[in-house]
Amino acid sequence: MTLSSEVKYLGVILDSKLNWNSHLNYAIDKATNTLWISKRTFGNKWGLRPAMIHWIYTAIVRPRITYASLVWWPKTKEKCAIKKLGKIQRLAAVSTTGAMRSTPTNALDAMLNILPLHQYVQLEAEKAAIRLKRTKVLYDGDIKGHLSVLKEIQVNPLATVNNDWMETQFNFERMYNVIEPDRTVWDEGGPLIRPGSIVFYTDGSKQNDQVGAGVTGPGVSLSVSMGRWPTIFQAEIQAILECATICLKRKYKHSNICIFSDSQAALAALKSYTCTSKLVWECVLLLQQLSANNSINIYWVPGHHGIDGNEKADELARMGSSKPLLEPEPFCGTSPCSIKMELRNWEKVMMITNWNNTQGARQSKKFITPNISVTQKLLALSKKDLCTYTGLITGHCLVKYHLRLIKIVEEDVCRFCNEETETSEHLLCDCIGLYTTRLKYFDKGFLQPSDIWSLSPRKVIHFIRYIIPCWENTDNHVQRVTTHSDLSP
């Protein structure tokens, strides 16, 4: 009988030295095999569309690596691990864009708006640590070892100091009614309400990163400021909670109370038999207390449908969101959505910081500014079009400057103006010989590189294919271009 130097437990390989080398190699091998199996379905200019290849990487390949990242994330601080993880992300980025082998990895990451893989592993570890912290009280002395990732990725302390989460509570004996009439019912005048009923309308609003709640009813025009942390859902629940509080203070008895809200999510939460939100549970308890002596009916009302009470509640909610919060933040516990938003903001900041600190990629940095909306436009292109666009933006394409660097041509003078070096920046922005053509395609004779990034990618592709009809951007085609005459317009 011999002792083993490593053991696999729940998909994690533990080695005798706990240096995580075996697990990292195992995770990378699994992810690489998955990517190569998928690669049978696409090439540089054929097969699956870029959006689908990007999805395969982000939804299938990358999660295979980040599995159990809370345990082994410290390994990602080592240069060797960073390099190994970078290789698989580069393979995915090149597969998505069809870029040349010489294209800088950082430029591809910025174009596709994806974090370097070692940082993404740390981000996933942070999310797991926050979930763990949510279920257990942790003190400063506990934030060490694997949990020290909470100090590595800094988010606003208010996002985690008081969260709107609790262990699951059950509400099987609901005493109030939640009614969701069809829109056709409202088109015909709304649901029938018993004469003498007490009617309230509630609503929530968010504008300029400030949240507010509003309640209107008999003798009530309440506007509540909730600060910046709550979500619209929490504002809607808070409005119903405020309404229930008012009714309890008035000591209604044997009354038929009708509360109208335009939030289907809020009504679904109040109707559910389970609850994990402190705010929702507080609202449920108040409604149960109010239901002990009254008949409580909570109705769904279509928002912005010209219903007077709903419009008044919406106006009060907007007034609340326009006023500053005069008490300490957060107004109520922060929701998981707020924490996710903070982490998403950290990811955006890191994307820009990484790109600004990138050494080299001189031309790419003139064009590219990481932006998710631009990335979505690029992923909507065909494989061939994205391949062309990537080459233009990064400069690693069939312009003479790059071809001279890889020793396919001997000179790099622009074929259109015969004056300056032919780079993609020169062709797209300031070549005097292409002034009229740029005016035709872009409505400007001269442009800045930042203007190109904000333009429709299809316009840029149509422009370059118009001025150079034989334009291609793959390594195979580059090998065929061997003479100056082949590059003539």
Side-chain angles (χ1 to χ4, degrees):
M1 184 176 180
T2 58
L3 294 176
S4 175
S5 60
E6 59 186 43
V7 61
K8 186 177 181 182
Y9 180 71
L10 296 177
V12 179
I13 297 179
L14 306 171
D15 58 81
S16 57
K17 296 182 180 179
L18 281 181
N19 57 21
W20 304 108
N21 284 331
S22 297
H23 178 75
L24 178 64
N25 293 332
Y26 169 72
I28 289 177
D29 287 344
K30 281 181 62 179
T32 304
N33 289 340
T34 302
L35 190 57
W36 276 109
I37 290 171
S38 303
K39 207 172 185 311
R40 296 176 181 177
T41 62
F42 56 83
N44 276 349
K45 292 194 175 183
W46 60 270
L48 296 177
R49 296 181 66 85
M52 181 57 70
I53 302 170
H54 185 262
W55 178 85
I56 288 173
Y57 174 66
T58 57
I60 300 176
V61 177
R62 196 165 60 176
R64 285 192 167 223
I65 294 177
T66 59
Y67 173 74
S69 55
L70 179 59
V71 178
W72 62 271
W73 73 267
K75 182 68 178 178
T76 61
K77 291 184 173 182
E78 300 178 9
K79 291 183 178 180
C80 180
I82 294 173
K83 186 175 180 180
K84 288 180 179 179
L85 292 169
K87 284 183 178 179
I88 188 169
Q89 179 145 306
R90 176 176 173 79
L91 177 60
V94 170
S95 298
T96 302
T97 60
M100 281 186 171
R101 296 189 183 112
S102 56
T103 307
T105 301
N106 290 338
L108 296 177
D109 288 349
M111 278 188 62
L112 298 176
N113 206 61
I114 48 179
L115 274 178
L117 195 48
H118 69 283
Q119 290 182 340
Y120 186 78
V121 170
Q122 295 170 14
L123 179 61
E124 289 298 300
E126 169 85 359
K127 293 177 182 177
I130 289 175
R131 290 195 296 270
L132 185 62
K133 185 180 179 182
R134 186 177 67 182
T135 59
K136 183 180 179 181
V137 177
L138 297 176
Y139 301 98
D140 289 340
D142 299 323
I143 311 300
K144 57 185 179 181
H146 306 305
L147 290 177
S148 62
V149 70
L150 292 168
K151 296 180 179 178
E152 291 288 326
I153 298 179
Q154 297 294 328
V155 296
N156 194 318
L158 292 176
T160 57
V161 69
N162 178 26
N163 57 73
D164 183 33
W165 182 89
M166 66 178 184
E167 292 185 3
T168 303
Q169 299 291 329
F170 299 95
N171 181 26
F172 293 122
E173 298 180 359
R174 188 176 67 246
M175 299 168 63
Y176 54 87
N177 300 312
V178 178
I179 305 167
E180 300 183 64
D182 291 333
R183 286 185 179 271
T184 54
V185 174
W186 285 102
D187 292 337
E188 296 172 358
L192 294 176
I193 299 175
R194 193 172 74 193
S197 298
I198 303 171
V199 178
F200 293 91
Y201 286 86
T202 66
D203 204 356
S205 175
K206 183 174 184 178
Q207 53 184 5
N208 300 324
D209 285 334
Q210 295 293 316
V211 180
V215 182
T216 183
V220 178
S221 289
L222 178 64
S223 180
V224 181
S225 176
M226 299 178 65
R228 66 173 288 259
W229 286 101
T231 61
I232 290 290
F233 169 79
Q234 288 178 308
E236 298 281 1
I237 293 292
Q238 182 67 32
I240 298 173
L241 186 151
E242 295 285 351
C243 182
T245 303
I246 291 169
C247 293
L248 286 170
K249 287 181 179 179
R250 291 181 174 182
K251 298 181 180 179
Y252 287 128
K253 287 187 177 181
H254 312 298
S255 300
N256 184 50
I257 301 173
C258 300
I259 303 173
F260 290 84
S261 172
D262 61 6
S263 172
Q264 291 180 316
L267 268 59
L270 295 175
K271 188 168 61 174
S272 175
Y273 293 111
T274 61
C275 179
T276 57
S277 165
K278 294 177 184 177
L279 183 63
V280 173
W281 187 244
E282 183 183 355
C283 186
V284 167
L285 294 179
L286 287 179
L287 290 171
Q288 292 283 61
Q289 185 180 345
L290 186 61
S291 301
N293 298 309
N294 301 276
S295 174
I296 308 299
N297 298 293
I298 306 173
Y299 291 89
W300 174 75
V301 56
H304 308 291
H305 209 67
I307 299 168
D308 292 340
N310 181 252
E311 295 297 328
K312 177 63 176 176
D314 180 60
E315 182 183 347
L316 290 167
R318 282 189 275 109
M319 286 175 58
S321 62
S322 64
K323 297 186 297 185
L325 180 64
L326 300 180
E327 57 186 88
E329 295 255 30
F331 179 87
C332 56
T334 53
S335 70
C337 293
S338 299
I339 297 172
K340 287 179 181 178
M341 185 61 69
E342 284 295 305
L343 293 175
R344 198 172 293 120
N345 290 337
W346 177 87
E347 187 175 0
K348 290 179 182 177
V349 170
M350 287 306 301
M351 281 294 308
I352 294 172
T353 302
N354 290 341
W355 185 230
N356 291 338
N357 293 337
T358 295
Q359 301 296 323
R362 176 184 55 82
Q363 180 169 288
S364 301
K365 292 185 77 170
K366 291 182 179 180
F367 285 103
I368 300 173
T369 301
N371 186 303
I372 186 62
S373 61
V374 175
T375 298
Q376 290 171 347
K377 291 179 183 178
L378 296 181
L379 292 175
L381 297 172
S382 68
K383 193 69 183 292
K384 183 177 180 180
D385 288 348
L386 181 56
C387 179
T388 298
Y389 187 84
T390 302
L392 284 169
I393 293 299
T394 60
H396 291 250
C397 57
L398 297 190
V399 291
K400 288 188 177 180
Y401 174 75
H402 184 68
L403 293 175
R404 185 178 65 82
L405 290 179
I406 58 178
K407 299 180 180 179
I408 288 182
V409 298
E410 296 181 355
E411 61 175 29
D412 56 11
V413 178
C414 176
R415 71 192 81 175
F416 296 100
C417 65
N418 293 318
E419 294 179 1
E420 299 188 35
T421 301
E422 182 183 289
T423 62
S424 55
E425 179 187 355
H426 175 69
L427 294 178
L428 293 172
C429 298
D430 54 24
C431 177
I432 192 65
L434 296 173
Y435 178 88
T436 305
T437 309
R438 280 194 299 272
L439 201 60
K440 172 185 174 183
Y441 277 87
F442 308 135
D443 298 325
K444 287 184 179 180
F446 295 108
L447 297 94
Q448 296 297 322
S450 57
D451 296 332
I452 298 297
W453 185 245
S454 62
L455 288 171
S456 166
R458 297 186 190 278
K459 283 187 177 181
V460 177
I461 294 165
H462 291 161
F463 168 80
I464 200 67
R465 287 182 178 162
Y466 175 79
I467 63 172
I468 308 178
C470 62
W471 182 274
E472 293 291 349
N473 188 34
T474 65
D475 288 334
N476 291 336
H477 284 83
V478 167
Q479 296 301 326
R480 299 176 190 172
V481 181
T482 57
T483 64
H484 177 70
S485 58
D486 290 328
L487 295 172
S488 300

